[in-house]
Amino acid sequence: QPLGLLMPSHLGAAHHAHVERFARSHATARQMADRGEIIGRRKDGSEFPAEASISKVEVNGQWIFTAVLRDITARRRAEEERAELLERERAARERAEAAERRALRALQTREEILGIVSHDLRDPLSAIGMCARALDGMPALDSEARDAVHTIGQATEWMQRMIRDLLDVASIEAGQLPVERRPEDMVILLVRASELFQRIAEEREITLTTQLPEHLPPMAVDGVRILQVLSNLLGNALKFVSRGGHVALRAALEGSTLHVTVTDDGPGIPESDLPRVFDRFWQSRRTSGVRGTGLGLAIARGIVEAHGGRIWIESMVGAGTMVHVVLPSTSEQGGSP
């Protein structure tokens, strides 16, 4: 059969011209089409991509032409699918990189804002606090005015605590949280933390108990920072426990580590929330109306890890919550950062 039988009719002229040029040339073989790829025709008239080569040989003074045609539909489809996948991958990578850049810019902007706000608010708040204390000492104030002054003082202290939290978080994120270790009697430190919240527990009709060893070896820790951790954990427990509930502070020496736990019989934390409890600005939904900055646990983790320790939470809805803090001995802590 003539080769033209395999060519679409609308390409017949181009095909014949190609064969004629090949016949006049000195070449004995060549690819058909400039890129070695042409359009073929099936018996049913459908078209398909193909590769074809043509050769010629002289036999008894006549030129015999031979053509080889290969259907490359499957290869073309695979190449197109591969190109499509590569394009999707490229587009996905560009979207991911753009999202990462936006997130990084947002994070940098937020950190800058936090730093500026934290530093710039301290001075005016200090001035407000000083004025409130000065007014509180004036004997001429009536009870209503004195109550207003007390409210100003309490609000100022609360805002100053928030600023300290923001500064601590910024230091933790930068890996520069100041920790000044010195030998501390851990029993005294734990008892002091419990005593700070005993009155609050009594006012809320919550039982706060301690189970501590009579003696613990001194540990090189930053006492103020560890007290900050314990205060955060006890304060959180008391927030979420209802009247008549129970909060327990326990400690035990386990080999060369001190294992401290704070347990409450509050509503517990959903399992889906546990991976996020130490995230900055995250707040539990355990009890509506209990609000805070969402920085306490993030700061607690930063302080514990700065001491070379570990902190984690176990909780079950309806069964309460237990926070674990493990602090290593002096030899395991290494030098002060």
Side-chain angles (χ1 to χ4, degrees), residues 112-250:
E112 291 173 359
I113 292 173
L114 287 178
I116 293 171
V117 170
S118 300
H119 284 89
D120 290 356
L121 280 179
R122 281 191 299 178
D123 289 342
L125 279 176
S126 297
I128 293 172
M130 291 175 60
C131 292
R133 288 190 293 274
L135 288 171
D136 193 35
M138 298 177 63
L141 288 179
D142 57 32
S143 59
E144 184 176 348
R146 195 170 299 280
D147 288 342
V149 171
H150 286 167
T151 301
I152 293 172
Q154 291 172 352
T156 302
E157 291 177 4
W158 180 62
M159 292 184 70
Q160 287 174 335
R161 284 196 299 271
M162 290 178 61
I163 290 174
R164 286 194 296 269
D165 286 349
L166 291 171
L167 292 174
D168 283 344
V169 166
S171 298
I172 291 169
E173 291 294 323
Q176 299 174 349
L177 181 70
V179 174
E180 299 178 2
R181 295 192 181 101
R182 57 177 59 87
E184 292 280 357
D185 186 323
M186 297 305 296
V187 174
I188 293 177
L189 203 60
L190 291 162
V191 169
R192 187 184 307 164
S194 176
E195 290 176 345
L196 287 173
F197 289 89
Q198 195 64 54
R199 182 176 176 182
I200 297 175
E202 292 172 357
E203 291 176 351
R204 298 180 182 178
E205 299 179 9
I206 297 171
T207 302
L208 173 58
T209 61
T210 57
Q211 297 179 20
L212 308 174
E214 293 184 2
H215 173 73
L216 288 170
M219 295 182 66
V221 298
D222 187 324
V224 174
R225 290 295 190 185
I226 295 301
L227 193 61
Q228 185 179 359
V229 172
L230 296 171
S231 297
N232 176 274
L233 301 185
L234 289 170
N236 273 353
L238 291 171
K239 279 182 184 179
F240 296 108
V241 173
S242 302
R243 291 186 181 275
H246 183 261
V247 174
L249 172 64
R250 301 183 179 93

Side-chain angles (χ1 to χ4, degrees), residues 293-311:
T293 61
L295 296 174
L297 287 176
I299 294 171
R301 181 176 63 178
I303 293 172
V304 171
E305 291 180 350
H307 283 80
R310 295 186 300 123
I311 181 171

